[in-house]
Amino acid sequence: MSATDFDVIVIGSGAAGLSTGLAAAEQGRERVLVVESETVVGGSSRLSGGVVMGSGSSFQRAAGIDDEPGDLFKEYMALNTWDVAAGPVERWAGRSGETIDWLAGHGVKFFDRLIFGGDERKPRSHCIDGGGQALINALASACRRHGVEVALGRRVEELVVEDGAVRGVVSGGEALTAAAVVVATGGFGANPELLAEYYPSAWIPDWTWYIGADGARGDALRFAAAVGAQTTGVDRGLRTLDPGLARLNEAFLPGWTVLLDGEGRRFCDETAPYGILDTLVRARGDRAFVVFDDAALRPPEDEREKYRDAYKQVWPNHAPFKPKNYTADMIDENVKRGKVHAADDIGVLAEKIGLPADRLTGEITRYNGLVAEGVDRDFGKSGKFLVPLATPPYYAVEVRPVTVNHTGYGLRIDEYARVIGQDGRVIPGLYAAGECTGGIAGVTYMGSGNSLASACGFGRIAGEEAGRRAEEAARA
Ligand SMILES: Cc1cc2nc3c(=O)[nH]c(=O)nc-3n(C[C@H](O)[C@H](O)[C@H](O)COP(=O)(O)OP(=O)(O)OC[C@H]3O[C@@H](n4cnc5c(N)ncnc54)[C@H](O)[C@@H]3O)c2cc1C
């Protein structure tokens, strides 16, 4: 008779948890349990765009893209000014292409065309046909085929610890034992108190909102405190800009907008990837203004074409991006509510948003000059998106980086996804993967596909390692 109820128990059924369960089963472990607090499988992964980063995949090779995991690692390190856990990141990046192929082998359907997720040198973001739900469907089916049990509606309240090792979980008051436990509980975006404490730059009462799943309550942090695990990555994650109008998730700005800092100065290409925008806005006090003119909302018949394709990002698994907040109806309604400012003169608009009239007038005049030249010599926005702000009324709305997409504070892990304790040693029997980890997400979100790659990649690593531990325990 076996000494434990299960070989491996995984807490959470998102991309990280299901990848973990599947990888453990592939190690030959026959008693793998995934415990999920909600009544539906998939967490935030299910709601995601289904874009996954990976370097050196067969899809890249087929598309003639010569990419190497070492380049992903180096770019990741440079982007994050080396302020991430290099060991785990290197191992994850090294297996990222292979993880894409592993997912494909388990029925995840990727489009042949890859995209740039952020500002990387080579396109390495892989788009799943059917988005995040399709990823979860494929992983859940593969888990079922491999005999992994998934228990829904069972929140884990605490970990079972004996002699300094984690030996199981408690759910609904019932203790379930295992040779290894993997925490894959996702982030804490749905928990306002934790956001205020561990992601303070994203927390503005009445502004901040979270676009992920309800289960992202940050239970991993509670487990960490109870077992003496290290946590790291305060104030990291991904915030996107929101004008505070109607909580519409708008990851990218339309190319016809002008983005100004709190001082009224333009500071970047408005079509920049969201991770980069997040960092740029952070460096400017987390406050900015989006300015545009009436032609962008109501283009004259003969100019429609110029405003139609307003996004640099074109994803094969997503309908063309369209403005949500920046539409005529939304803006008209919010001018009436006083949330959007409008004026027939740029100087008057400036006064309405508390900026000196000559500064805003000068900035927009300069921008219109660049548009006339057809080259954004200041910030390099593509000529395709350069349209003048010349049709009154002009509009301005304040934006804040308060749409929380991802949280980056969590359990510190090593390159084998083992959780590290306060004493610097790994906590026997405890592993973690995905958004509940810390030190993997850096100061700048690399781009679309970053977190699912981390969830699936570290999920595989955690599953293999936890499976190995269970095998050793069975042999002992
Ligand atoms: C709208 C949206 C779009 C996104 N698009 C992308 C994208 O295209 N590409 C990308 O890379 N990233 C994307 N992200 C981010 C990415 O989806 C997440 O970071 C990733 O899915 C996290 O995976 P995970 O498995 O760690 O967590 P989750 O998928 O959130 O899974 C965690 C699971 O654990 C469960 N759980 C929590 N606590 C307990 C407990 N105590 N007991 C039992 N179960 C528990 C939760 O209910 C949940 O089901 C997106 C995020 C959002 C919100």
Side-chain angles (χ1 to χ4, degrees), residues 10-12 15-17 19-20 181-187 220 411 413 417-419 430-438 440 451 454-463:
V10 185
I11 315 173
S19 297
T20 302
V181 172
V182 183
V183 181
T185 50
L411 300 169
I413 54 170
R418 298 179 296 195
V419 175
L430 187 62
Y431 303 78
E435 204 176 318
C436 66
T437 61
I440 309 302
S451 6
S454 166
C456 298
F458 280 110
R460 278 183 78 205
I461 293 171

Side-chain angles (χ1 to χ4, degrees), residues 12 14-16 36-38 43-45 48-51 156 185 215 219 435 449 451-452:
E36 167 58 52
S37 59
E38 310 306 296
S44 293
S45 307
S48 77
V51 179
V156 169
T185 50
D219 285 359
E435 204 176 318
S451 6
L452 283 179

Side-chain angles (χ1 to χ4, degrees), residues 112-124:
D112 292 336
R113 184 165 78 74
L114 286 99
I115 61 167
F116 288 95
D119 189 34
E120 60 275 14
R121 303 282 83 77
K122 306 270 173 66
R124 56 171 79 105

